[in-house]
Amino acid sequence: MKFHIESLQLWLKTKQRRFVTFLPNKVNVITGESHTGKTAILDIVDYCLFASEHGISESIINENVAWYGLRIHVNDKVYLLARRAPEGKVASPDYYFSSTGELPEYEPSRNISESVLKKLLSADFGIDQDVKIPFGGRTLRANSRVSLRYFLLFNTISQDIITHSSQFFDKQNQARYQEALPRIFDIAVGIDTVENILKREKRAELERKLVRQENFAAKTAEKREQFNAQLAETVARAKGYGLVDDNTASDASINALKRMVTERESGSDRYVSAQYDEISSQIYRVARKIRGLHRFTTEFAKHKTTLKETGDSLQPVAYLLKNFEETVRTSVFDDILRNLSQGLQEIKNATARNTPLDSNISEIIKDLESQREKLERDLEALPVEMESFENDKDKYIFIGETKAKLELYSDPESDKAPDNSELIASLEAQIEELTVAPVEDRKELFTKALDEAIQDYITLTKAALGNYGDYRSAFNYSEKKLHLRKPRTTTTENVGSSSNHMFLHLFLFLGLHELIMRNGGVHVAPFLIIDQFSRPYWGEDDQEEEDGGEGEGERDFDESDVAKVRLALQLLDQFITTAKDMGKEFQMIVFEHINPRYWDGLENVHLVEIFRDGNALIPISRNE
C-alpha cells in the first residue's frame, strides 16, 4: 500500500487558510516550544480520519478553526478530505471530499456523508466490507464490521504512550479499541488474510450448523428412545388388562393403542371374552367354508365319474363310426350318429384333465385353512388369567393416561423421526472442501521474524540501552508487547527507565511496519506519527542543551541524553533508508522540541517548521 500525508489544511474563521506541508519518504520533524500546537496535529489527523471523539484543544486551536483537512496520497491517487470543526466536545458529521485533491476556493462545504467516505477510503485500505469481527466482547459486537480506524492504531505513538511501561498502542484506555487490537492484529501484520478469514468464518458457520444438526439427531434419537420406553410400558399394561391383543406387533402398537382409546371412548368395550367369542366365531365361519368347499369338491368328483361312465356307455358309437360303411343306415342315422359322436367327444374332453375349477378350489381351501390356523393361534394366545381393574374408574383413568401419552409423544412426526443424515453428510462434505490455512505456525514465524528485525534496531542503538544493549528481543504475541530477554535465558526482564521504554516503543512499531511492508500489507498505511520521543530526557530544551551541553563535566558523550536522542533519530533515519532499499515508501511525522543540530548529517530527516518566536499552528499574530 502507498500512503502519505501531503499537507495539513486549516480553514480559519478569519477566512484565511493555514497549511503545513510534509514530504514522503522522510522523517518530517516539527520542533518548537510547548503549547504551540504540535501535539494538536496528531489529534487533527485522527479527527479528520473519522474519530467519534476528539482531543483538539478548544483554546487557541478549535476556537479559531472552521474546518480541518488533509491532502493525502493513496495508491497513486490524491484525495482531499476535510471535516467541520467540532462544537465543544461534539464531533461534526459534516465532511468535504475531493477525489482529485482539489482545494475548495473558499471554505469547504459538506458534500459527502461519513459512511460513504469511510467506505470509499476503506476500499483503498483493502478492507472488505464482508470482513467481520468473529467474536465480540463487552463493547464490540460479534459480526460487526472491521473498521478502518482499528488499523490506525499502528500509525501513532502519542506522548502519553511513548514511555508507558505496559501499553504499546494508543487508545487502549478505550474498551472498543482495546478489544479491537487482538481481533485485527493478524490481518494488519499479514499473519492472516481477508480471504482466509472469510473461509474460516464460513467454515465456522458450517461447523455450527453441523453441531446443531448432530445435536438435533441425538435429541431426536433420545426422544425416540423415551417414546419407545413409554410406548412399551403402556402397551404391556394394555395387554395385561386385555385391552390390546397380546400378539400385536411392535410396529402396530401405536395404532392398537389409538384404536383401543377410540373404542373405549365410543363405549364399545371388548374384553377378553369378547375377543374369544369373536375369534371362535371367525374360526367357525372359516371351517364352514372349508367344509362347503370340500363337499363341492366331492360332488364335482362324482359328477366327473358319472360323465366317465356315460362316456364308456357311448363307446359303441366309436365302433359304428369306424365301421360306417358296413352299417345299415336309415334316413336319421347320420344325424343320430353325429350327435352321439359329438357328445362322446365332449365327455372325453371333460374327463381327460383337471379344469381351472379344480385348482381354484384347492387354493381357496389352502387359504382358508391358513386363516383357521392363525385364528386358532390367536385364540390360544389369549391369557388364561387377565389382570383386572378394581372398578370402571381405574379402567378409564388408564385409558385417559394412554390418550394423554399418545397426544404427547405420538405427534405426526413421532412415528417416523426426521432423518437429517443427508444434511449432515452434505455439511461434512462442504467443511472438507473448504481449505482454511492454519495461522498458528504463521504466528510463530511472524514473532521470530519480528524479533530478528528488532534485534537489528537494538544493535544500532545498544549504546543508548546501557546494560540492556546485548539483550534479545522477545515479542509477546498474546499481550502485543515487546520485552527484552537476557541472552541464553527464557525469562524477560523489566527494563526499568522511561528511556528504555521509549526505545522499546520505537523498536516495536518500526519492526511491525518493516514486516508489514515485507509481507506486502495493504491494510496498514505506511506512515507513523511520533509525539516527543525525547520526553524521557527533557520536558523542554534548556539553556544548557542550547549551549551545546556545557557544564556536563566529565560525562561520557555516548551516555548523555543528547547521544541517546541522536541515536533515536538515527534509528528513524535508518528505517527510511531500509524502506527505500525494499522499494517501499514510508513517511514519519515527528513532533519535538529538540534543536535541529541533533539530526545534522541524517539524510532522511526533514525540518518542516520550527514553532518558536510567534510561529505556531495558529500563529499568535492571527489570534490577537
Side-chain angles (χ1 to χ4, degrees):
M1 179 186 184
K2 295 181 180 179
F3 181 99
H4 74 267
I5 300 174
E6 178 186 301
S7 62
L8 174 75
Q9 302 285 335
L10 307 180
W11 286 268
L12 306 179
K13 292 179 180 179
T14 59
K15 304 304 180 183
Q16 296 174 297
R17 182 168 60 89
R18 168 76 163 111
F19 60 93
V20 181
T21 303
F22 308 101
L23 297 181
N25 299 312
K26 293 290 183 181
V27 180
N28 295 271
V29 180
I30 297 178
T31 188
E33 301 171 347
S34 295
H35 311 298
T36 54
K38 299 188 301 293
T39 297
I41 294 177
L42 189 153
D43 294 324
I44 291 169
V45 171
D46 187 55
Y47 180 72
C48 289
L49 294 174
F50 317 112
S52 57
E53 301 174 355
H54 73 91
I56 303 172
S57 172
E58 181 66 23
S59 176
I60 306 299
I61 307 294
N62 201 48
E63 67 182 6
N64 285 289
V65 178
W67 283 76
Y68 299 98
L70 295 174
R71 198 166 193 264
I72 59 177
H73 291 242
V74 186
N75 298 329
D76 300 323
K77 293 178 283 189
V78 183
Y79 294 152
L80 177 71
L81 54 98
R83 188 176 186 182
R84 190 185 300 275
E87 295 184 6
K89 294 293 184 181
V90 181
S92 174
D94 297 340
Y95 288 84
Y96 170 85
F97 176 71
S98 170
S99 60
T100 61
E102 182 180 359
L103 290 167
E105 186 175 357
Y106 301 105
E107 185 177 288
S109 59
R110 173 174 176 161
N111 67 356
I112 195 170
S113 68
E114 179 178 292
S115 60
V116 173
L117 179 55
K118 186 183 290 186
K119 186 174 182 180
L120 185 151
L121 204 57
S122 294
D124 288 310
F125 276 68
I127 301 173
D128 195 313
Q129 292 296 301
D130 293 330
V131 179
K132 299 176 182 177
I133 293 175
F135 53 96
R138 290 175 300 173
T139 304
L140 288 180
R141 292 178 301 172
N143 297 320
S144 58
R145 296 186 189 280
V146 172
S147 171
L148 162 68
R149 288 191 53 76
Y150 299 153
F151 295 96
L152 296 177
L153 292 171
F154 292 82
N155 298 117
T156 62
I157 308 177
S158 70
Q159 61 177 326
D160 294 330
I161 208 76
I162 188 72
T163 59
H164 204 291
S165 61
S166 60
Q167 290 186 12
F168 281 78
F169 290 85
D170 280 318
K171 297 184 174 68
Q172 295 306 288
N173 59 335
Q174 300 179 37
R176 182 160 61 100
Y177 290 97
Q178 186 181 33
E179 294 174 2
L181 179 60
R183 289 159 172 77
I184 57 93
F185 186 87
D186 289 356
I187 310 175
V189 301
I191 292 175
D192 211 347
T193 64
V194 170
E195 180 184 6
N196 203 48
I197 287 174
L198 293 176
K199 286 183 178 180
R200 188 182 299 110
E201 289 176 353
K202 180 63 176 177
R203 181 170 185 145
E205 179 185 356
L206 291 172
E207 288 174 344
R208 287 193 296 270
K209 288 182 178 179
L210 178 60
V211 169
R212 285 198 297 269
Q213 291 300 323
E214 289 175 339
N215 289 341
F216 175 74
K219 288 180 180 179
T220 299
E222 181 182 357
K223 180 180 177 182
R224 188 64 182 170
E225 289 177 2
Q226 294 174 350
F227 169 72
N228 288 334
Q230 290 283 342
L231 176 65
E233 179 187 354
T234 304
V235 169
R237 291 183 63 192
K239 288 182 178 179
Y241 290 125
L243 301 176
V244 171
D245 187 350
D246 198 50
N247 287 324
T248 300
S250 59
D251 57 354
S253 296
I254 295 178
N255 291 331
L257 289 176
K258 288 179 178 178
R259 187 168 58 251
M260 181 269 291
V261 170
T262 302
E263 290 173 350
R264 296 317 180 272
E265 287 183 336
S266 64
S268 57
D269 278 347
R270 289 193 305 161
Y271 288 90
V272 176
S273 59
Q275 294 179 24
Y276 190 93
D277 293 341
E278 174 63 23
I279 295 174
S280 298
S281 177
Q282 290 182 29
I283 292 174
Y284 173 76
R285 288 195 294 270
V286 171
R288 187 174 60 185
K289 289 180 181 179
I290 292 173
R291 287 195 300 272
L293 289 173
H294 278 306
R295 284 198 299 270
F296 175 80
T297 302
T298 301
E299 294 299 325
F300 185 67
K302 290 179 179 180
H303 170 68
K304 291 177 68 175
T305 301
T306 301
L307 287 177
K308 188 174 184 307
E309 292 174 351
T310 304
D312 291 340
S313 67
L314 292 177
Q315 286 301 322
V317 174
Y319 176 80
L320 292 174
L321 288 172
K322 184 177 180 181
N323 301 285
F324 181 76
E325 297 296 334
E326 299 176 5
T327 59
V328 178
R329 297 182 293 273
T330 63
S331 59
V332 296
F333 179 81
D334 290 342
D335 292 337
I336 293 173
L337 188 62
R338 186 172 57 254
N339 289 335
L340 289 174
S341 175
Q342 183 177 352
L344 176 62
Q345 187 60 44
E346 289 176 355
I347 290 172
K348 285 182 179 181
N349 292 339
T351 58
R353 56 184 174 81
N354 291 330
T355 64
L357 184 61
D358 295 312
S359 300
N360 289 342
I361 291 175
S362 298
E363 292 298 324
I364 292 172
I365 291 174
K366 286 182 180 179
D367 290 341
L368 289 172
E369 287 177 343
S370 297
Q371 291 181 34
R372 182 171 63 181
E373 290 175 1
K374 181 179 181 305
L375 289 169
E376 288 173 347
R377 288 195 302 269
D378 292 344
L379 189 64
E380 291 174 358
L382 288 176
V384 178
E385 295 183 3
M386 300 297 301
E387 298 180 45
S388 62
F389 297 103
E390 293 184 3
N391 51 52
D392 286 345
K393 178 181 176 181
D394 291 342
K395 178 182 70 174
Y396 288 111
I397 288 175
F398 173 75
I399 294 172
E401 290 176 350
T402 302
K403 180 181 179 182
K405 289 177 181 179
L406 288 172
E407 291 175 349
L408 178 63
Y409 292 102
S410 189
D411 53 66
E413 298 297 328
S414 65
D415 293 341
K416 184 177 181 180
D419 183 6
N420 60 350
S421 57
E422 290 187 5
L423 178 57
I424 289 176
S426 174
L427 290 172
E428 290 174 339
Q430 292 180 60
I431 292 172
E432 184 69 24
E433 292 174 0
L434 204 59
T435 304
V436 179
V439 296
E440 291 304 318
D441 290 345
R442 291 180 62 85
K443 289 178 183 178
E444 184 178 352
L445 292 174
F446 171 83
T447 301
K448 290 181 179 179
L450 180 61
D451 284 334
E452 290 175 2
I454 291 174
Q455 198 62 47
D456 291 340
Y457 309 150
I458 293 174
T459 301
L460 179 64
T461 59
K462 63 181 299 183
L465 297 176
N467 296 333
Y468 303 103
D470 292 323
Y471 275 48
R472 299 290 181 263
S473 171
F475 175 67
N476 188 312
Y477 172 84
S478 61
E479 295 179 354
K480 308 297 184 288
K481 297 176 183 178
L482 178 62
H483 302 283
L484 292 181
R485 175 180 57 83
K486 190 174 182 178
R488 295 180 177 82
T489 65
T490 59
T491 58
T492 59
E493 295 192 22
N494 183 0
V495 298
S497 71
S498 59
S499 171
N500 290 332
H501 287 300
M502 179 273 289
F503 273 101
L504 289 182
H505 281 73
L506 294 182
F507 293 161
L508 177 59
F509 273 74
L510 296 182
L512 289 172
H513 277 284
E514 180 178 336
L515 262 65
I516 289 170
M517 288 190 292
R518 291 189 185 280
N519 292 335
V522 296
H523 307 302
V524 177
F527 80 98
L528 182 61
I529 300 177
I530 306 171
D531 191 3
Q532 298 186 40
F533 65 81
S534 67
R535 287 190 69 202
Y537 311 110
W538 315 291
E540 292 285 342
D541 268 349
D542 55 29
Q543 186 61 38
E544 183 180 62
E545 290 299 331
E546 287 296 321
D547 292 339
E550 295 179 4
E552 292 287 332
E554 297 299 320
R555 284 194 305 170
D556 190 314
F557 179 82
D558 288 340
E559 294 179 357
S560 71
D561 291 343
V562 173
K564 292 179 181 179
V565 170
R566 183 166 176 81
L567 279 173
L569 286 168
Q570 288 176 352
L571 175 64
L572 302 183
D573 179 77
Q574 180 60 44
F575 185 83
I576 297 297
T577 299
T578 301
K580 290 178 180 178
D581 291 342
M582 289 191 294
K584 304 292 184 179
E585 296 181 0
F586 198 87
Q587 181 187 56
M588 293 188 200
I589 299 174
V590 177
F591 310 127
E592 267 297 345
H593 51 253
I594 60 178
N595 194 294
R597 62 186 174 85
Y598 293 159
W599 60 78
D600 285 345
L602 301 181
E603 62 177 350
N604 297 313
V605 181
H606 165 67
L607 176 62
V608 177
E609 289 189 29
I610 299 176
F611 285 1
R612 201 184 291 273
D613 299 327
N615 185 39
L617 185 63
I618 307 296
I620 296 176
S621 60
R622 297 180 183 178
N623 197 38
E624 293 179 346

